[in-house]
Every structure is written in C-alpha cells, then in structure tokens.
Amino acid sequence: MLRPLTGIALLAAAHAAIGAGDAKRGAQVFRACMACHSVAEGEHLTGPSLAHVWNRKAGTTPGFMRYSDPVKQSGVTWDAAALDKWLANPAQLIPGNSMTFPGIKDAKAREDVIAYLKAVDDKKAPPAAKGGGGMMGMGRAKLDLKNAPPEGQVRSIRYCGDTYSVETADGKVEKIWEFNLRFKSDSSKLGPAPGKPVVVGAGMQGDRASIVFASPKEISGFIKQSCP
C-alpha cells in the first residue's frame, strides 16, 4: 500500500516540478522581457537587472531606485515558487506593484524562464537574443549609445512651428512632428558621450523617435529655434 506524501515531501515535489524547466527554451521566452529587464549585472532598464535575482529579497537589487513600496515591503524572496507565482500574475502575488505585465499563463513557459534565471545566476545561461540593426530600426532593448552609427549621431536640432529638424552625422535631416519626438537622458555606461546625443527610432509606423542626451542639462542648449 502506498504511503501518503508528508507535507515536506509534497513541498519538495512542488519545488522539483517548478525547477524542471529548460534554460535554453527559457532564454527564448525571456526575449519578451528584455524591453524592461537586462540580465547584465548592474544594468537597470525600466525594471531592475535580473543578474542575481535568484534567492534575493524583493526590492533589494543594488543601484535600482524605482521599486514600488509594495514590492519593497512584500517580504518576498525570489525562489522558484515565488518566481512562478510572480510570472503567473504579478498583481496577485504583490498587489499594488507597478509592473505592467499581465503574466505568463503557460506553466511550462514559466518553468523555462525560471530555469533560465537560475542559469543566469550560475553564470551558465544561454544567450537570450542577438543584437544588431540600425539605430532607427532598433527596439527597446538597451543600446550602446556611445557607439552609435552615423545615422544615429545627432549633429543639430532645429525647432520651427510644430516641427523638429534633426540632422545626423550621415548628412541627412529628418523632420519630426513635435508630439512624436521625446527627449531623454541616459547616464549609464552605455549612454551617449557628453555633447553627443543619439536619436533612436520608435513607433509602430516608424514615425516617432527619442533623442538621448548624456544629461538633462544638455537638452535645452542643444535645440536651436530657427525657421528657414
């Protein structure tokens, strides 16, 4: 006659099931997360770096300053079980958190992502995605703006009426409606060099762009109001 599992045995079985994912598949699933999270140590995007998330207390990644109070006060530790619940429904695990993510409904996909994050922590992770592409065609993944190609290097910005005229180092001038152009700063090691802003394309129709400066104080001084 089979003996029933004890509570400890059940818990161990649950953790084993959650940890049975495939890191290689998880790397591919994780590509959808790369708009907001990096796995490079100390590289924070919209969300914190996940380089050492494994068994870390929620809200404690060094250098990340945008945690919501519910996350910092949650007391959650990111083990396999907690990560599974978070990936399934962040709002349910930590109500009131600021992560705009509906969750991964497929349990196997969650297991694979968890296996990938464990591999990241063990420094054995397969690559999640390949870089490449021109500046104006790239997505929201973190870019090395110090090494932007000529079509991304901004020489001048002129403003007239409701239009910005952006001249780049390849000699081209693109006119952008003021509502479709954003000005940002990036002080990280991948941000642009001082005085050398970079333009990054955005928008489903390719009609929007962001110009990124090394610091906010550069923005107003770089834009010249000039009409032909």
Side-chain angles (χ1 to χ4, degrees):
M1 182 176 181
L2 294 174
R3 296 176 60 188
L5 289 170
T6 64
I8 294 177
L10 281 170
L11 183 61
H15 277 265
I18 292 172
D22 181 276
K24 188 174 182 179
R25 290 196 303 263
Q28 299 308 307
V29 179
F30 187 79
R31 294 181 67 172
C33 308
M34 293 180 69
C36 297
H37 292 283
S38 169
V39 293
E41 186 171 356
E43 183 178 82
H44 306 305
L45 307 181
T46 300
S49 166
L50 301 182
H52 298 294
V53 70
W54 195 263
N55 282 333
R56 179 182 292 280
K57 185 177 179 182
T60 64
T61 299
F64 186 74
M65 304 176 65
R66 296 181 291 281
Y67 284 115
S68 62
D69 288 339
V71 169
K72 290 189 291 185
Q73 298 165 7
S74 68
V76 169
T77 296
W78 297 123
D79 56 15
L83 283 168
D84 184 64
K85 292 178 181 177
W86 175 261
L87 291 170
N89 190 337
Q92 185 173 26
L93 179 63
I94 305 180
N97 80 82
S98 58
M99 183 168 173
T100 56
F101 175 65
I104 300 173
K105 305 311 176 187
D106 183 81
K108 185 60 181 172
R110 295 197 304 272
E111 290 176 10
D112 292 341
V113 172
I114 292 167
Y116 172 69
L117 292 174
K118 180 64 168 68
V120 168
D121 191 69
D122 292 338
K123 301 187 184 302
K124 298 178 180 179
K130 296 180 180 179
M135 294 301 297
M136 294 301 291
M138 296 194 71
R140 295 175 61 194
K142 189 70 170 177
L143 303 171
D144 182 357
L145 301 182
K146 282 187 172 62
N147 294 301
E151 63 266 26
Q153 300 171 20
V154 177
R155 282 182 174 172
S156 67
I157 305 172
R158 291 187 292 106
Y159 177 68
C160 180
D162 63 354
T163 300
Y164 287 99
S165 295
V166 180
E167 181 187 7
T168 48
D170 59 353
K172 295 181 179 179
V173 176
E174 184 166 355
K175 295 182 178 181
I176 306 172
W177 179 35
E178 62 182 352
F179 195 76
N180 282 352
L181 186 63
R182 294 182 177 182
F183 297 98
K184 302 180 179 182
S185 61
D186 184 352
S187 61
S188 75
K189 62 182 181 182
L190 294 178
K196 296 182 178 180
V198 172
V199 61
V200 182
M204 294 296 291
Q205 306 300 321
D207 59 343
R208 302 185 183 191
S210 296
I211 296 181
V212 187
F213 294 81
S215 68
K217 65 181 181 181
E218 294 183 2
I219 297 175
S220 60
F222 205 91
I223 301 170
K224 306 300 181 184
Q225 187 157 355
S226 174
C227 294

